[in-house]
């Protein structure tokens, strides 16, 4: 295990037992799409007269579903357009940007490929729209490895509620307690805890490392993607040290 990764302290399986499935968050975990979502949101807000929306404003919503984010921003900025319109506009902007190129974190790709080679079932559970998830997985070549995915728009509540993770487990045919979740944001880690799933946390925003939600993660890489160790994560998922 990486010397800087935190050892398991959250929900855990019996010693020596491994997970039956792994559920990945998408944005900020598998792919570096947050800059694209920021730009898509900035363009959407600018189209409704909102200027000055910066990166720090965007980071408040990392890990939160697109619909929930836009509902909050609509109220904060007094935007008259309905949420459905804003959602369609942001998705359009995002798809234009994503199809131009979305980067997969190299170590995460290696981790997914290793899990796939071992025959471990996997799914994606994301706050993005189904259209956006499908577009990103297809464009990055991850679709063949991760054919099962769930969008927050398909369940009653997005993260930090556990709905999207529980639905992913249902589609995989695996009990929630036998799943490991890989997340980059506090709402996702909290959703994993509420779902009764173990969690590997790889914080996207450095300042969130001390967030109480990450205290429930069984394995935490405080340095984020730069510190993530596929070998250590694989050993932990499969019941090794």
């Amino acid at each position: 295990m990486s010397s800087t990764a935190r050892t398991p302290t959250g929900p855990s399986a019996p010693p020596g037992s491994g997970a039956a499935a792994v559920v990945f968050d998408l944005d900020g975990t598998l792919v570096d799409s947050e800059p694209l979502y920021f730009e898509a949101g900035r363009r959407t807000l600018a189209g409704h007269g909102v200027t000055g929306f910066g990166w720090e404003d965007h980071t408040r919503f990392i890990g939160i579903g697109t619909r929930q984010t836009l509902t909050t921003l609509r109220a904060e900025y007094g935007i008259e357009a309905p949420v459905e319109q804003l959602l369609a506009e942001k998705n359009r902007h995002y798809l234009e940007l994503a199809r131009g190129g979305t980067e997969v974190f190299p170590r995460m790709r290696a981790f997914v490929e290793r899990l796939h080679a071992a025959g471990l079932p996997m799914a994606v559970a994301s706050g993005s729209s189904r259209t956006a998830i499908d577009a990103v997985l297809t464009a990055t070549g991850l679709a063949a490895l991760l054919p099962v995915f769930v969008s927050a728009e398909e369940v009653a509540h997005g993260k930090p509620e556990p709905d999207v993770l529980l639905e992913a487990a249902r589609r995989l045919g695996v009990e929630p307690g036998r799943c490991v979740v890989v997340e980059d944001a506090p709402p996702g880690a909290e959703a994993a805890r509420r779902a009764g799933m173990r969690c590997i946390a790889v914080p996207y925003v450095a300042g969130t490392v001390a967030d109480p939600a990450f205290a429930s993660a069984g394995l935490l890489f405080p340095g984020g993607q730069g510190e993530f160790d596929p070998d250590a994560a694989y050993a932990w998922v499969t019941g090794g040290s």
Side-chain angles (χ1 to χ4, degrees), residues 187-201:
E190 175 61 15
R193 184 189 69 80
R194 296 183 187 183
M197 301 177 179
R198 292 185 289 159
C199 180
I200 296 175

Side-chain angles (χ1 to χ4, degrees), residues 73-95:
L73 290 172
R74 178 177 181 271
E76 288 184 359
Y77 291 109
I79 299 173
E80 294 184 0
V83 171
E84 290 298 331
Q85 178 182 333
L86 298 177
L87 189 61
E89 292 174 0
K90 185 172 182 178
N91 279 338
R92 185 178 70 253
H93 289 310
Y94 175 74
L95 289 173

Side-chain angles (χ1 to χ4, degrees), residues 24-27 124-129 133 150-153 159 164:
F24 288 89
D25 174 55
L26 180 63
D27 304 299
V124 169
S126 171
S128 295
S129 69
I133 298 170
V150 185
S151 165
E153 67 185 14
K159 303 169 187 177
V164 69

Side-chain angles (χ1 to χ4, degrees), residues 224-238:
Q225 292 290 340
E227 182 183 277
F228 179 70
D229 184 340
D231 294 331
Y234 180 83
W236 189 75
V237 165
T238 56

Side-chain angles (χ1 to χ4, degrees), residues 129-149:
S129 69
R130 279 195 64 83
T131 301
I133 298 170
D134 183 60
V136 168
L137 292 178
T138 299
T140 57
L142 289 175
L145 305 176
L146 295 161
V148 178
F149 61 87

